[in-house]
């Protein structure tokens, strides 16, 4: 901005117009884009938080699902949106930390094109089979996969998602070969329940009711610690997969250039939302661990996760043209 008197005079009207708009934000509906289909964990968390933000802001918060390309389509849409605070993104580890290493060409750069706002929650993946499956343990699943190389199939919520890479890691560590069947979001669950696919690493919130209702059998969780929502389910590490840690997480971001005041307000309000005692209890019961970080903390977390998942992708051998 020019520092001369003439420059300040020219800039004055623009600043005068900008300040009331920023102070009044939001003065119209806010859109939260979800980069996966409705019904999945990303969508569930976005709607819970969106409802609380709407209550806090006195403005509608509209959830818009834009799935596809492992979350890249919705994420790119927000990365290219006007940075005015009225288009936000709720996305997961895949499009934010994994896909940069997985895809040969990316339409956005997480750290250059998106402003981190807050890390909402961490969510373990859980290895599940249909209740009618003869497989009752990870050991039995591995043994069956060794008997039938390539004969067992697993679903995922998309290429490069943590549900995909969790199974790829298990294949590599167990020395087996299974067949990946990617889906556009949580619809993989339907084929798992009807045994069109044999197993799946799913986020706990997307399957916890089916587990509790006896329609799915849980074999292990993908984190180093057991889940508070299913404490009876062992970790993969407990079952001999040393260091197995492939959990999901979910955060809010905005297009880079979004006013800092807006970023800080969304961060504070979203963090307060997931920390409300009744919401925290609800999220923990469904298998999510609420966080609520500052933008700076989320940015540092993203840097660490991008580096960590790049190593996991290399070890898995997964890639997308």
């Amino acid at each position: 901005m020019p520092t001369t008197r003439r420059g300040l005079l020219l800039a004055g009207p623009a600043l005068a117009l900008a300040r009331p708009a920023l102070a009044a934000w939001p003065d119209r509906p806010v859109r939260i884009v979800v980069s996966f289909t409705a019904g999945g964990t990303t969508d569930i968390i976005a709607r819970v938080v969106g409802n609380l933000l709407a209550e806090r802001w006195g403005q509608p918060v509209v959830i818009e699902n834009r799935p596809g390309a492992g979350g890249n389509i919705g994420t790119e849409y927000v990365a290219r949106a006007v940075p005015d605070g009225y288009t936000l993104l709720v996305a997961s580890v895949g499009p934010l930390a994994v896909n940069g290493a997985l895809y040969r060409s990316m339409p956005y750069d997480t750290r250059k094109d998106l402003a981190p706002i807050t890390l909402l929650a961490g969510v373990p993946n859980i290895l599940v089979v249909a209740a009618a499956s003869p497989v009752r343990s990870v050991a039995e699943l591995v043994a069956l996969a060794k008997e039938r190389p390539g004969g067992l199939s697993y679903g995922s919520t998309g290429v490069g998602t943590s549900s995909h890479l969790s199974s790829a890691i298990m294949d590599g560590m167990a020395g087996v070969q299974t067949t990946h069947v990617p889906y556009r979001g949580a619809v993989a669950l339907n084929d798992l329940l009807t045994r069109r696919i044999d197993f799946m690493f799913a986020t706990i919130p997307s399957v916890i009711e089916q587990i509790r209702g006896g329609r799915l059998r849980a074999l292990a969780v993908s984190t180093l610690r057991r889940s508070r929502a299913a404490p009876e389910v062992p970790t993969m590490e407990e079952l001999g997969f040393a260091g197995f840690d492939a959990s999901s997480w979910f955060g809010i971001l905005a297009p880079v250039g979004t006013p800092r005041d807006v970023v800080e307000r969304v961060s504070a309000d979203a963090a307060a939302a997931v920390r409300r005692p009744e919401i925290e209890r609800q999220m923990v019961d469904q298998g999510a661990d609420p966080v609520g970080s500052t933008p700076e903390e989320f940015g540092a977390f993203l840097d660490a996760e991008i580096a960590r998942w790049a190593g996991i992708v290399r070890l898995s051998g997964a890639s997308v043209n």
Side-chain angles (χ1 to χ4, degrees):
M1 181 69 67
T3 55
T4 65
R5 185 173 183 273
R6 175 176 169 79
L8 289 171
L9 286 172
L10 289 172
L15 291 173
L17 289 172
R19 285 194 188 100
L22 184 58
W25 184 94
D27 61 1
R28 63 179 191 269
V30 175
R31 175 174 50 170
I32 293 180
V33 173
V34 174
S35 54
F36 291 96
T37 55
T41 302
T42 313
D43 181 72
I44 292 168
I45 289 176
R47 291 179 188 278
V48 169
V49 174
N51 287 338
L52 294 172
L53 292 178
E55 175 186 310
R56 195 174 187 94
W57 295 339
Q59 291 288 344
V61 174
V62 180
I63 305 299
E64 181 177 323
N65 297 91
R66 286 181 171 263
N72 284 353
I73 290 175
T75 305
E76 181 192 9
Y77 180 82
V78 175
R80 306 293 175 235
V82 176
D84 57 5
Y86 289 93
T87 301
L88 305 174
L89 171 73
V90 171
S92 63
V93 57
L96 297 178
V98 177
N99 290 358
L102 185 73
Y103 284 74
R104 295 181 186 272
S105 177
M106 283 288 287
Y108 60 88
D109 183 302
T110 296
R111 297 300 279 126
K112 292 180 180 178
D113 297 328
L114 294 164
I117 293 179
T118 190
L119 178 64
L120 292 170
V123 178
N125 292 325
I126 190 164
L127 176 57
V128 287
V129 296
S133 170
V135 173
R136 307 194 69 85
S137 68
V138 173
E140 290 183 7
L141 180 64
V142 169
L144 189 59
K146 288 182 176 178
E147 289 177 12
R148 298 166 52 191
L152 298 187
S153 60
Y154 66 90
S156 79
T157 51
V159 175
T161 59
S162 66
S163 63
H164 167 210
L165 293 179
S166 294
S167 295
I169 294 167
M170 183 181 74
D171 275 10
M173 295 181 75
V176 299
Q177 179 185 353
T178 58
T179 300
H180 178 213
V181 183
Y183 292 79
R184 291 187 67 184
V187 293
L189 181 58
N190 296 328
D191 280 0
L192 179 64
L193 289 167
T194 55
R195 297 183 64 192
R196 292 188 180 92
I197 54 176
D198 297 295
F199 67 94
M200 180 177 178
F201 275 94
T203 52
I204 291 183
S206 67
V207 295
I208 190 65
E209 295 307 324
Q210 287 84 359
I211 293 170
R212 290 170 177 165
R215 299 180 69 196
L216 292 177
R217 179 180 301 122
L219 305 183
V221 293
S222 67
T223 42
L224 298 175
R225 293 185 300 174
R226 294 192 181 199
S227 168
R228 288 184 285 175
E232 72 284 358
V233 181
T235 67
M236 289 292 288
E237 183 169 65
E238 288 177 69
L239 300 176
F241 293 78
F244 195 108
D245 184 13
S247 60
S248 296
W249 47 259
F250 305 86
I252 298 183
L253 303 94
V256 73
T258 298
R260 181 65 188 180
D261 292 24
V262 173
V263 168
E264 290 179 350
R265 180 172 178 188
V266 177
S267 178
D269 289 349
V274 298
R275 289 173 182 163
R276 280 172 58 166
E278 68 274 21
I279 299 302
E280 183 173 7
R281 285 193 297 270
Q282 178 185 342
M283 292 179 74
V284 168
D285 181 65
Q286 292 297 306
D289 295 316
V291 181
S293 65
T294 66
E296 292 74 22
E297 290 168 340
F298 189 21
F301 177 82
L302 280 171
D303 289 337
E305 283 291 279
I306 288 168
R308 187 173 79 88
W309 281 97
I312 292 174
V313 169
R314 282 195 300 271
L315 288 175
S316 72
S319 66
V320 179
N321 293 329

